């Protein structure tokens, strides 16, 4: 339902997906396809989410503090934390 029906975009998603499968063969193909589509449809939001996860991981490695994000967190959980930084305090646009 979130896939753009534009043939060029669909081809770009399929090409990205096929490369991703070769790079990360151990990941579930359905999850990888969903992730590829999200990166294609919402690149800036996905970049913020991935940056937040990476920052959390690096801070944990440096200071040995508890991680804010664990493997149990979903992308929606991380997005809702990052939302304030993307839109500011007064934006109510959540997933």
């Amino acid at each position: 339902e979130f896939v753009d029906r534009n043939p060029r975009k669909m081809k770009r998603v399929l090409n990205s997906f096929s490369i991703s499968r070769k790079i990360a063969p151990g990941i579930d193909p359905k999850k990888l396809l969903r992730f590829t589509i999200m990166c294609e449809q919402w690149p800036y939001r996905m970049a913020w989410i991935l940056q937040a996860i990476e920052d959390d991981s690096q801070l944990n490695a440096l200071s040995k503090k508890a991680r804010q994000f664990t493997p149990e967190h979903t992308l929606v959980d991380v997005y809702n934390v990052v939302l304030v930084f993307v839109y500011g305090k007064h934006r109510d646009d959540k997933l």
Side-chain angles (χ1 to χ4, degrees):
E1 90 188 54
F2 294 110
V3 179
D4 190 346
R5 301 293 181 213
N6 181 331
R8 284 188 181 161
K9 276 198 168 187
M10 290 180 86
K11 185 174 182 177
R12 185 173 28 227
V13 167
L14 289 175
N15 287 339
S16 297
F17 175 66
S18 66
I19 291 171
S20 299
R21 284 187 66 190
K22 291 177 183 173
I23 293 172
I27 297 177
D28 177 30
K30 276 188 170 182
K31 288 182 180 180
L32 190 59
L33 180 59
R34 288 179 188 147
F35 183 78
T36 304
I37 291 169
M38 288 190 302
C39 287
E40 177 63 34
Q41 293 294 110
W42 302 287
Y44 295 113
R45 289 182 182 190
M46 289 303 295
W48 272 95
I49 289 170
L50 295 174
Q51 186 64 50
I53 293 169
E54 183 178 346
D55 289 349
D56 183 57
S57 176
Q58 289 176 352
L59 285 173
N60 174 259
L62 289 174
S63 65
K64 304 295 184 216
K65 71 175 185 102
R67 294 187 69 168
Q68 183 176 4
F69 306 117
T70 62
E72 289 79 29
H73 284 92
T74 65
L75 287 177
V76 174
D77 296 334
V78 179
Y79 176 76
N80 287 327
V81 171
V82 173
L83 188 65
V84 174
F85 301 106
V86 176
Y87 293 115
K89 294 180 182 178
H90 305 291
R91 178 77 180 212
D92 289 333
D93 184 19
K94 292 190 177 188
L95 288 179

